Amino acid sequence: MKTALITGITGQDGSYLAEFLLEKGYKVYGVVRRSSTTPYERIAHLVDRVELLSADLLDQHSLVDAIAACAPDEIYNLAAQSFVQTSWTQPVLTGEFTAMGVTRALEAFRKAAPNARFYQASSSEMFGRVVETPQTETTPFYPRSPYGVAKVYGHWITVNYRESYGLYAVSGILFNHESPRRGLEFVTRKVTDAVARIKLGLSNQLALGTLDARRDWGFAGDYVDAMWRMLQLDEPQDFVIGTGLTWTVQHLCETAFAVVGLDYRDYVVQDPRFMRPAEVDLLVADPAKAKRVMGWEPKVSFQQLIEMMVEADMVRHRVRG
């Protein structure tokens, strides 16, 4: 039985990855921050099947102890301050978690389990003001937010540890991936949640920033499969993971409202409060290497993803109502 340690197990990706690994027969450990509350909503159905360890990306010693305690074969570093908008209001904290936190995790990995394999969650936001389209593993980075800058640091420090210490450490440059477990602050979930509330008469308007920004949106459940595949190769390599298709926020709204038979134009308004200081206009992946080397392809289409999310939010609000 292989053992895996997941930082960020209580997040969207962490919960799907834990499910995926459990199905493959892994012993799964998750790192959680000590708190007076237990925000385990996304893994409530898994709590009895995983073991949770207390540690923090801000505390080097706790990470060493957590890794030493479970002696993992694989480490997935998914924890971060992961919301781009928040990185503008909390840039220093974002740097501590999303940049320096990776160094702490790598140091703990190097000291406590150097024969393990390490996955770092990189992001398409690193490309930012894109210099070529679509983006591949060799596309230069030009981040446009404190979050994107922090992710670039996390990416390159992972490369540095791999090349300097001979560690099996890789980065997955994941494009936007969504699900019914996505946080309500992210635009896809903000839209699908609003659609459900409007359809059920709980709201009558959805305020958004720009509707022209384009993203490559896929299903988080597909993307955790890619994370796992990266750690099964003979040699460590970095990969771009995405669908290769791009959609505007406007098309997202049109699709989501159509699921419940409504016209988005009757409900969506633009609000300057939600405009980013520096917008990323076009992100679209070229996942050819992932398909060629790992045999990975996304299974859930954009339409299926948005339908899944709207229907889940409809159920959630009906139950609460």
Side-chain angles (χ1 to χ4, degrees):
M1 178 186 291
K2 280 189 175 182
T3 298
L5 176 67
I6 304 170
T7 73
I9 194 172
T10 60
Q12 169 190 255
D13 293 5
S15 66
Y16 280 109
L17 179 60
E19 285 177 349
F20 180 88
L21 294 174
L22 286 168
E23 289 174 4
K24 288 192 170 295
Y26 278 65
K27 170 68 175 175
V28 176
Y29 291 83
V31 167
V32 293
R33 301 175 69 195
R34 189 170 297 281
S35 172
S36 59
T37 59
T38 53
Y40 301 160
E41 180 182 354
R42 294 185 183 94
I43 59 168
H45 60 301
L46 301 175
V47 166
D48 294 336
R49 302 173 61 198
V50 302
E51 188 164 334
L52 301 178
L53 303 172
S54 179
D56 196 310
L57 286 183
L58 301 185
D59 180 40
Q60 178 75 52
H61 186 72
S62 68
L63 292 171
V64 173
D65 286 349
I67 292 175
C70 63
D73 299 291
E74 298 171 4
I75 301 167
Y76 296 86
N77 186 41
L78 309 185
Q81 190 301 100
S82 60
F83 187 43
V84 174
Q85 194 69 36
T86 296
S87 77
W88 290 106
T89 56
Q90 297 182 318
V92 175
L93 182 66
T94 298
E96 284 291 341
F97 275 112
T98 308
M100 291 306 299
V102 183
T103 309
R104 297 185 189 102
L106 284 164
E107 269 293 284
F109 156 46
R110 183 174 74 88
K111 291 179 178 179
N115 294 320
R117 296 187 169 197
F118 183 95
Y119 172 87
Q120 164 60 16
S122 287
S123 167
S124 60
E125 289 287 334
M126 299 189 305
F127 295 122
R129 185 175 178 180
V130 297
V131 298
E132 65 181 13
T133 300
Q135 292 87 52
T136 72
E137 290 80 7
T138 59
T139 300
F141 301 136
Y142 196 141
R144 297 275 280 171
S145 67
Y147 170 78
V149 171
K151 279 294 186 181
V152 169
Y153 176 93
H155 180 88
W156 281 117
I157 198 67
T158 301
V159 172
N160 189 265
Y161 269 65
R162 176 172 73 219
E163 295 179 349
S164 300
Y165 298 113
L167 300 171
Y168 194 111
V170 302
S171 288
I173 306 174
L174 271 57
F175 281 64
N176 296 66
H177 45 290
E178 321 297 315
S179 76
R181 300 178 195 171
R182 191 58 143 155
L184 287 168
E185 68 272 25
F186 290 87
V187 67
T188 49
R189 187 70 194 291
K190 182 177 181 179
V191 169
T192 63
D193 178 71
V195 167
R197 287 187 290 107
I198 289 170
K199 181 64 176 179
L200 295 172
L202 304 174
S203 180
N204 57 19
Q205 192 176 81
L206 168 60
L208 296 172
T210 180
L211 300 182
D212 297 327
R214 304 182 72 91
R215 293 292 184 274
D216 182 332
W217 280 301
F219 173 49
D222 288 341
Y223 287 36
V224 299
D225 176 24
M227 297 177 189
W228 175 78
R229 290 180 188 231
M230 286 183 219
L231 297 193
Q232 312 313 309
L233 300 175
D234 292 336
E235 299 294 332
Q237 302 178 55
D238 301 330
F239 289 89
V240 161
I241 302 298
T243 69
L245 301 173
T246 183
W247 313 90
T248 63
V249 174
Q250 180 175 315
H251 188 82
L252 163 65
C253 293
E254 183 179 348
T255 302
F257 277 91
V259 173
V260 295
L262 299 177
D263 187 332
Y264 80 96
R265 291 171 293 188
D266 295 332
Y267 305 98
V268 173
V269 296
Q270 289 188 271
D271 189 328
R273 291 179 302 161
F274 300 117
M275 302 289 187
R276 294 182 185 180
E279 183 57 67
V280 174
D281 298 313
L282 177 60
L283 292 174
V284 57
D286 178 356
K289 180 183 175 184
K291 181 179 180 179
R292 183 180 72 254
V293 176
M294 301 192 298
W296 179 86
E297 288 185 280
K299 298 175 183 176
V300 177
S301 71
F302 175 77
Q303 180 74 32
Q304 291 170 326
L305 171 64
I306 301 307
E307 288 177 2
M308 176 199 310
M309 293 175 67
V310 170
E311 289 165 3
D313 279 323
M314 289 286 290
V315 170
R316 185 170 60 89
H317 283 295
R318 284 197 187 103
V319 169
R320 289 185 176 180

